[in-house]
């Protein structure tokens, strides 16, 4: 038969990475945390041009074939600073350090009002990341009207995690390439790497990956936020909290330190936990083929994003937690927004698909437990005896009993039998099928299991009975046509 | 082939009921709660004589064939008193009523000291039932030296639940015939019947059952307690608590009412719960073929006997609970006794057998859940298409995609695809095996499940690939030799 035409993989990968689009893409953003000048000034022509991109990939490849890229070189006293991404070092290490220095040295006393404002602002910025950056833009799990999008774009920037465009791009790559070398936060490289290492170190261009973000580029709010990211970020992350705390509580310094630096540190670390802890710690109720895990601790600090095993399995579901007792306020925010018309088209995976995953994962766990136990020999591994074989064998060992077409050697069990020695003794050398199966006593499932460990042979012509008997405890044998 | 000799069922049943033994048996005890004169004065000759027993069974049968036994007659104003077992009515209804009358009417004020003595004595009497009557004598789950047996025999009588011999006999019958008409406390007849009905009503002699209790009859302590049961019971259940509370706290009446009547009522009701509630309420982690259930509430009032699902599955295990957080003080008492040499030969079912039961029961539950879900059609139920069939069908519906030897109709899913419309559109009419399985994106298990619901056909010569693909999500197909 002539074969079916196959999907053109090169073409499909170009589609999947969005390289066919005439929209502005982020190519240099990988490994950088947020908009640098480089990033904002994208070359519209070149960066949307597949030929250019492929050519450049090729050039890079040749370049690093000769002299290794810094990420492949060992750390030395001379090159350590080249390993680091200094922009990100400043944004996630140095800035927070200044904040902590002021806070811990007592130079900026924390007032209750500033504290509560910072907590509130933490929630506003955090929820803008989870409901906005993540579930809305990265996963399109629902559609939002512009006022809500504007809100998320402005206050999302307050968390200092980069522009929506950059964030969504690397996040889509993370989902598409989870647990591979192309995964920006590849959890297999350890807790530290997936937590912060990936953004503090220069990544290997060999593993550059792309994702289609045309829909993001189509959103004027995303475009605007990306283009003016640094300004918006400074405004919402630092200037606004400083001014609010200064104007209302006369605490400019506290507003900057706690409402700005420390708060940013906290929300950054909480978000990073999704890449690190949520791939290490917790349960895998839906699938354990990949690293993501469900964990209420990470959920607590990230407004529900900690149910990460569910999320990787059902990424376009607007929920991350489905049980009523699991903490997922982001899902509630989205649902509330839909009630007042700010959001619509909330996506869910079907109940059927979710239950299937649960059942299959439980099955896997059960199979693993089962494999550790002694279930006795399989029927198919037993020799077949006729009456003569049985009688001959009885001369050697006295403890043989036939039950449902299977010969068992119960020698070691006679004195242990819960139903007494006498009954078992009276069954030696005989067919005790009826007695065992209710004629005297209908044995428990446990008794069937104990019995199976004593199997020694199948009785000729007893195969059907044996298969039926074994099925009672879950053994399944395909009836194969015998070639006799 | 000539057949194997079968176990003689009549003979085996005679053995199982102990009717071959020359030991004194309880034949009339069934349905009576404790030693009446009738019961104590057993006819040694007759009651151990199988011919006599069978003859009497036969006579009874003929008798009740003509005029129905009272238990088969409807209740009327004229015959209601004949339905009842008045001895038991007195012991489990009237006596406690007297106690409650005194207690509630304030005629016997309860002092703290009498209260605590009664609680303690409740525990002593109760544990003698659970560790002695039940796990030692009824189930031989360990062996005890005479001082411990004497203790259990005396204080067990304080719970007013009949002699060891009578108790052990009906309990063994309960285990051997659980959930059948011969089960004295047949749970299928309802909560009330299994709680008290069975002992307050006259039982139908048609369902009389016997169990081997030769080992009990061989124990001089059991024999002695049985013969002098009424005396011992009065002493330990009523006279002793009255004297103790009278002598030490000067509270004779309180001792009789609370330490005697009310305490007896409480321990009786708690024990009855094992026959009623423990067969109705709770989980069935080990097997759900029969009614017994694990329930911490019943465990709490019966010193651990509430883990009744375990117990019916593993009756000769000296433990009823195996998890550290489950409440089973009786097991601890037995274990402690073994440490100080009063008990030995503690029996346990193997870890393997216990785990097997758990795994099998979980498997059953999982299979039930699985059966409720839509897994898509089985491969074996699909038509087989060659390329021509496929192309012809494509003219009618555009949404066909081949993945791993299976044709899917994805029409309804294109706009829903989490990976975008474009990619799916580019795969229509083609073989997307590689793209789906990692060439573009290695799809999640959830995606495999969604995909399976869209199956329409198997590709000719694609069967092997299809079977392998289906196996990834747990589907198993026996490879059958095709007759082509
Ligand atoms: C040959 C292998 C046998 C094994 C492994 C076995 C195992 C067991 C086990 C585990 C129990 C207690 C658990 C339960 O089922 O409730 C039991 C009880 C019993 N068995 Fe067996 N049995 C065997 C053969 C027989 C035979 C041939 C007879 C009768 C002729 C018999 C009669 C009984 C009776 C009467 C009980 C007591 C029921 C009770 O009081 O709970 N058994 N057996
Ligand atoms: C025909 C039936 C298909 C179904 C039912 C399906 C289903 C899904 C599902 C459920 C997801 C999200 C969940 C996950 O796997 O992580 C997904 C994502 C994806 N699918 Fe498909 N898919 C199909 C075909 C294809 C094809 C033919 C391609 C490529 C040519 C493709 C490419 C992708 C990509 C790139 C993603 C996005 C990965 C991400 O960002 O998480 N799919 N698909
Ligand atoms: Fe993740
Ligand atoms: Fe995500
Ligand atoms: Fe029971
Ligand atoms: Fe029992």
């Amino acid at each position: 038969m002539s074969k079916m035409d196959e999907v053109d993989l090169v073409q499909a990968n170009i589609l999947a990475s969005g390289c066919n689009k005439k929209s502005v893409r982020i190519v240099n953003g990988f490994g950088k945390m947020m908009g640098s000048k480089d990033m904002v000034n994208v070359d519209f022509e070149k960066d949307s041009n597949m030929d250019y991109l492929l050519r450049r990939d090729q050039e890079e490849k040749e370049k690093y074939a000769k002299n290794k890229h810094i990420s492949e070189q060992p750390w030395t006293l001379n090159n350590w600073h080249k390993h680091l991404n200094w922009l990100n070092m400043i944004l996630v290490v140095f800035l927070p350090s200044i904040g902590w220095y002021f806070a811990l040295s007592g130079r900026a006393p924390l007032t209750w009002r500033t504290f509560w404002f910072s907590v509130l602002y933490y929630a506003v910025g955090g929820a803008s990341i989870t409901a906005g950056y993540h579930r809305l833009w990265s996963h399109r799990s629902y559609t939002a009207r512009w006022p809500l999008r504007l809100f998320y774009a402005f206050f999302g920037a307050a968390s200092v995690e980069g522009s929506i465009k950059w964030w969504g791009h690397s996040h889509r790559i993370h989902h598409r390439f989870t647990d591979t070398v192309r995964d920006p936060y590849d959890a297999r490289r350890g807790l530290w790497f997936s937590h912060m290492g990936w953004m503090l170190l220069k990544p290997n261009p060999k593993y550059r990956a792309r994702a289609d973000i045309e829909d993001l580029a189509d959103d004027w709010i995303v475009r605007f936020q990306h283009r003016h990211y640094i300004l918006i970020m400074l405004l919402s992350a630092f200037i606004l909290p400083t001014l609010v705390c200064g104007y209302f509580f006369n605490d400019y310094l506290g507003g900057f330190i706690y409402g700005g630096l420390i708060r940013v540190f906290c929300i950054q670390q909480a978000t990073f936990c999704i890449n690190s802890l949520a791939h290490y710690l917790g349960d895998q109720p839906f699938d354990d083929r990949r690293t993501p895990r469900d964990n209420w601790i990470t959920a607590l600090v990230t407004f529900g994003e900690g149910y990460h095993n569910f999320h990787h399995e059902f990424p376009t579901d607007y929920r991350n937690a489905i049980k009523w007792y699991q903490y997922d306020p982001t899902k509630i925010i989205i649902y509330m927004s839909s009630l007042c018309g700010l959001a619509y088209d909330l996506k869910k995976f079907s109940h059927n698909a979710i239950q299937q995953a649960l059942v299959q994962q439980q099955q896997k766990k059960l199979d693993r437990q089962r494999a550790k136990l002694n279930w006795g020999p399989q029927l198919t591994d037993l020799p077949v005896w006729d009456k003569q074989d049985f009688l001959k064998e009885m001369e050697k060992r006295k403890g043989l009993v036939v039950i449902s077409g299977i010969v068992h050697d119960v020698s070691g069990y006679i004195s242990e039998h819960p139903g007494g020695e006498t009954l078992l003794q009276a069954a030696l050398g005989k067919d005790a099928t009826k007695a065992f199966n209710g004629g005297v006593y209908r044995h428990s499932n446990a008794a069937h299991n104990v019995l199976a460990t004593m199997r020694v042979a199948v009785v000729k012509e007893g195969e059907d009975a044996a298969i039926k008997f074994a099925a009672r405890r879950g053994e399944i044998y395909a009836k194969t046509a015998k070639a006799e």
Side-chain angles (χ1 to χ4, degrees), chain A:
Chain A
M1 187 185 78
S2 64
K3 274 217 156 185
M4 227 70 82
D5 298 338
E6 281 189 26
V7 169
D8 179 344
L9 283 188
V10 174
Q11 195 50 42
N13 270 300
I14 287 173
L15 291 177
S17 60
C19 289
N20 59 323
K21 305 284 173 60
K22 279 281 165 245
S23 61
V24 182
R25 299 192 58 267
I26 298 157
V27 266
N28 281 323
F30 177 60
K32 296 214 175 95
M33 191 166 165
M34 60 211 65
S36 61
K37 203 154 178 260
D38 249 20
M39 228 174 102
V40 179
N41 291 331
V42 250
D43 182 330
F44 279 59
E45 273 311 301
K46 288 180 178 167
D47 281 348
S48 301
N49 181 313
M50 194 60 200
D51 294 332
Y52 165 79
L53 291 173
L54 288 178
R55 190 159 10 96
R56 213 201 40 194
D57 281 2
Q58 191 55 35
E59 279 167 22
E60 261 180 357
K61 217 174 181 175
E62 281 159 19
K63 182 170 152 205
Y64 294 123
K66 285 172 218 148
N67 40 0
K68 278 188 182 163
H69 182 259
I70 179 72
S71 65
E72 293 184 330
Q73 294 175 30
W75 288 61
T76 66
L77 278 176
N78 289 326
N79 78 0
W80 66 272
H81 59 279
K82 289 193 200 154
H83 276 275
L84 297 175
N85 176 331
W86 287 98
L87 173 65
N88 289 349
M89 281 295 284
I90 291 170
L91 289 166
V92 305
V93 179
F94 293 150
L95 281 186
S97 303
I98 296 174
W100 283 112
Y101 172 74
F102 270 81
L104 296 177
S105 68
R107 264 161 238 256
L110 177 60
T111 68
W112 275 113
R113 290 193 293 190
T114 300
F115 171 76
W116 283 117
F117 169 78
S118 306
V119 169
L120 183 81
Y121 204 50
Y122 172 96
V124 169
S128 298
I129 294 288
T130 60
Y133 273 48
H134 187 220
R135 301 195 198 180
L136 172 65
W137 280 300
S138 300
H139 291 300
R140 286 175 299 201
S141 71
Y142 64 104
T143 315
R145 298 197 193 279
W146 69 263
L148 194 60
R149 299 210 312 278
L150 209 56
F151 181 93
Y152 289 153
F154 183 76
F155 290 108
S159 296
V160 193
E161 304 190 359
S163 71
I164 297 160
K165 204 162 160 188
W166 176 84
W167 205 104
H169 186 247
S170 49
H171 193 76
R172 284 185 186 176
I173 292 173
H174 167 61
H175 273 271
R176 193 172 156 208
F177 297 109
T178 314
D179 298 336
T180 70
V181 288
R182 286 177 165 175
D183 181 351
Y185 349 120
D186 187 0
R188 303 169 314 159
R189 294 181 64 180
L191 209 55
W192 171 244
F193 178 82
S194 57
H195 191 69
M196 293 177 71
W198 67 274
M199 79 182 78
L200 296 183
L201 303 179
K202 291 222 180 93
N204 194 333
K206 205 157 76 178
Y207 303 135
R208 198 198 312 270
R210 298 183 182 90
D212 181 7
I213 48 163
E214 187 187 31
D215 53 317
L216 299 187
D218 280 350
D219 184 342
W220 65 268
I221 292 178
V222 174
R223 283 202 307 272
F224 183 85
Q225 198 232 31
H226 187 72
R227 191 151 311 171
H228 306 288
Y229 180 70
I230 304 245
L231 181 68
I232 296 174
M233 184 260 276
L234 290 175
L235 254 175
S236 68
F238 302 108
I239 300 172
L240 186 92
T242 308
L243 291 183
V244 168
C245 293
Y247 185 81
F248 290 107
F249 320 144
N250 197 25
D251 184 15
Y252 286 95
L253 183 63
F256 179 64
I257 299 296
Y258 298 103
L261 296 173
I262 301 278
R263 177 193 57 77
V264 166
F265 169 81
C266 293
I267 191 69
Q268 281 179 345
Q269 293 297 321
T271 312
F272 299 165
C273 280
I274 298 302
N275 296 331
S276 55
L277 277 191
H279 282 254
Y280 280 87
L281 221 76
D283 305 325
Q284 304 192 294
F286 300 97
D287 196 11
D288 65 1
R289 287 181 179 88
R290 300 186 293 191
T291 53
R293 284 156 191 272
D294 278 4
N295 184 339
W296 62 267
I297 301 176
T298 37
L300 220 60
V301 288
T302 56
F303 312 100
E305 303 282 35
Y307 298 100
H308 208 55
N309 191 255
F310 178 90
H311 174 62
H312 267 267
E313 202 68 3
F314 308 103
T316 47
D317 199 305
Y318 81 92
R319 309 161 301 174
N320 267 15
I322 45 164
K323 298 262 169 63
W324 62 267
Y325 55 83
Q326 292 173 326
Y327 180 75
D328 184 2
T330 299
K331 151 182 96 180
I332 311 221
I333 292 172
I334 296 172
Y335 186 71
M336 301 290 239
S337 315
S338 82
L339 289 187
C340 58
L342 282 169
Y344 56 96
D345 204 7
L346 274 51
K347 288 196 198 118
K348 272 188 195 184
F349 270 74
S350 70
H351 177 76
N352 192 59
I354 294 170
Q355 291 305 112
Q356 281 179 309
L358 286 171
V359 164
Q360 286 161 324
Q361 182 55 30
Q362 281 173 39
Q363 185 65 61
K364 268 198 201 168
K365 285 194 193 145
L366 215 50
D367 288 345
R368 267 174 230 148
Q369 281 183 47
R370 189 195 312 274
K372 283 192 217 133
L373 301 172
N374 171 17
W375 295 88
Q378 298 256 315
L379 293 183
T380 41
D381 292 341
L382 295 175
V384 177
W385 288 359
D386 61 17
K387 195 176 178 181
Q388 262 54 51
D389 298 325
F390 182 81
L391 294 178
K392 211 171 357 158
E393 204 67 27
M394 268 301 281
E395 285 164 21
K396 280 182 268 170
R397 39 182 175 178
K398 287 273 158 255
L400 300 183
V401 177
V402 175
I403 294 173
S404 296
I406 308 167
V407 183
H408 304 87
D409 186 342
V410 303
S411 318
Y413 197 69
I414 297 175
S415 65
E416 278 187 59
H417 182 221
E421 292 191 23
T422 341
L423 281 169
L424 212 45
Q425 221 115 33
L428 299 187
K430 299 205 175 123
D431 185 329
T433 305
K434 284 186 191 149
F436 186 90
N437 290 327
V440 175
Y441 175 56
R442 184 185 298 279
H443 280 79
S444 67
N445 186 43
H448 281 72
N449 288 330
V450 171
L451 186 66
T453 62
M454 307 174 193
R455 291 173 179 175
V456 290
V458 173
V459 176
K460 205 169 170 178
E461 282 159 33
E463 217 193 9
D464 285 354
I467 288 175
K468 225 173 124 191
F469 186 66
R472 189 190 175 280
R473 58 193 282 271
E475 283 175 82
I476 294 166
Y477 298 95
K479 276 284 291 288
T480 47
K482 262 183 279 179
E484 274 184 277

